[in-house]
Amino acid sequence: MKLAVMPTSLTSRSQRFMLAEWWRSIDQLTLMLLLCLLCAGLVLSMAASPAASHRLGILSPFHFLLRHGVFALAGFSGAVFVSLFEPRGARRIGVLALIGAMVVMAALPSIGYEVKGAVRWVKIGPFSLQPSEFAKPAFIIFAAWMFSAAKRDPNVPAVLIVLAVYAALILLLITQPDFGQSFLLTLCFAAVFFFAGMSLGWLIVMLAVTSLGAFGAYLALPHVRSRVAAFLSPDRSDSYQTDKALEAIAGGGFFGRGPGEGAVKYALPDGHTDFIFAVSVEEFGFLISALLIVLIAAFVVRAFSNALRLNDQFCQLATAGLATLIGMQAIINLFVNLNMAPSKGMTLPFISYGGSSLLSLCFTAGLILAFTRRRPGAYRMG
């Protein structure tokens, strides 16, 4: 029995149609903003990489730039791939990512390795993976799915299910420990809870429990107390990195010292990661660096604008929640750079070096692109 073989011309024509349909339906402005942010991250990685390599004794001055380039290319490709899915398929990817991330996080005490007193990473060949980075957008997808299902069927115990998963995630994060990610996850969960129109009483209870947990962490854990003390009383605590970041920002002024002319970055331990904004201001000035903030803000505002016009409640909640994640992470990072918040160990979205962070943020962007595609009946008329 002979099998029918599809002609090559028909296959290529089908692929061209699929790509053309994808390009027609994708939110091209969001895609271009993502590409601009990734390119800006590469430029700043080029500026910060020599200092980071020198400080760590790495011979190649552009070691971190090359790795950043690999992650950026993989992340953008992954975002495009995820954006090809229908909302149902993207939702399934999100739920599977949540399950996978939680399984790996639970196994970290056995398979993970310690960095600066925290066990958050697992080795995969020459690279490291931080599963909690992927748990954040995946949890938002899961929460949006549950809350939208409860709107269709009031018998679905969405609040209890989501709270149980949230509590499990927080427990896994605290055992690492990672209070910065716990704080960000809580903010995003509260936002999705609010967007879904859930009971205000539940939200107040959740925020009260979170506040008590944060206070308990402050009392019980020395490193949490030291970070808060460094923020509240910098003259009596070790605030070296924040002081250097402020020095870099002050030295750059409005117009900067010039590309490659930064000096403080050689003394800034996390200048290529959490404090990349300080390096940006030192070399390119505050006026140019402010464009980074504008680009991130434009990405977030565009996502919210699309979410408001979507018909499907799940897509609305997921898009708004994912945009909140990117926006809140950017705000926290900028506040830390400007000494307006205690150090959190959080990257500037799409800009900072960090493989897991960059890949998970591109995954987040890909999900936003998938949920906001212009499909028949997806958007309200007018």
Side-chain angles (χ1 to χ4, degrees), residues 38 135 141 166 237 268 281 327 341 367:
L38 291 174
I141 298 302
Y166 164 76
S237 305
L268 190 58
V281 176
L367 290 168

Side-chain angles (χ1 to χ4, degrees), residues 116 238-246 268-271 275 343:
K116 297 180 181 179
D238 181 14
S239 56
Y240 173 82
Q241 187 145 237
T242 304
D243 292 341
K244 286 298 178 182
L246 292 175
L268 190 58
D270 293 329
F275 290 89
S343 178

Side-chain angles (χ1 to χ4, degrees), residues 199-211:
S199 169
L200 187 61
W202 277 108
L203 186 59
I204 292 172
V205 169
M206 185 185 74
L207 292 177
V209 171
T210 302
S211 299

Side-chain angles (χ1 to χ4, degrees), residues 95 98-99 102 105 135 138-140 142-143 146 158-173 185 189:
V95 173
L98 177 62
I99 295 170
M102 292 184 71
M105 289 169 69
F139 174 72
I140 290 171
F142 176 76
M146 287 290 100
V159 174
L160 293 176
I161 294 172
V162 176
L163 279 175
V165 175
Y166 164 76
L169 266 177
I170 292 297
L171 180 62
L172 290 170
L173 286 168
L185 184 70
F189 179 32

Side-chain angles (χ1 to χ4, degrees), residues 47-135:
S49 181
S53 298
H54 174 77
R55 189 171 53 253
L56 296 173
I58 298 173
L59 294 179
S60 172
F62 295 111
H63 169 80
F64 292 102
L65 171 63
L66 294 174
R67 289 173 67 93
H68 193 144
V70 171
F71 292 132
L73 180 60
F76 184 74
S77 302
V80 171
F81 174 74
V82 172
S83 72
L84 292 169
F85 284 85
E86 298 287 323
R88 181 177 295 182
R91 185 187 70 200
R92 288 172 178 167
I93 292 174
V95 173
L96 288 174
L98 177 62
I99 295 170
M102 292 184 71
V103 168
V104 177
M105 289 169 69
L108 279 178
S110 301
I111 63 174
Y113 67 96
E114 183 177 324
V115 176
K116 297 180 181 179
V119 183
R120 304 172 186 169
W121 295 268
V122 60
K123 275 283 187 184
I124 301 178
F127 300 103
S128 299
L129 178 73
Q130 188 176 352
S132 60
E133 291 285 358
F134 297 89

Side-chain angles (χ1 to χ4, degrees), residues 249-304:
I249 292 171
F254 280 101
F255 304 105
R257 299 178 184 272
E261 298 300 319
V264 182
K265 64 184 181 182
Y266 284 91
L268 190 58
D270 293 329
H272 59 310
T273 54
D274 303 348
F275 290 89
I276 192 75
F277 183 75
V279 174
S280 173
V281 176
E282 184 184 22
E283 298 207 352
F284 298 98
F286 186 78
L287 291 178
I288 297 296
S289 300
L291 290 177
L292 292 177
I293 303 174
V294 171
L295 283 173
I296 295 172
F299 186 95
V300 173
V301 169
R302 179 65 176 179
F304 271 110

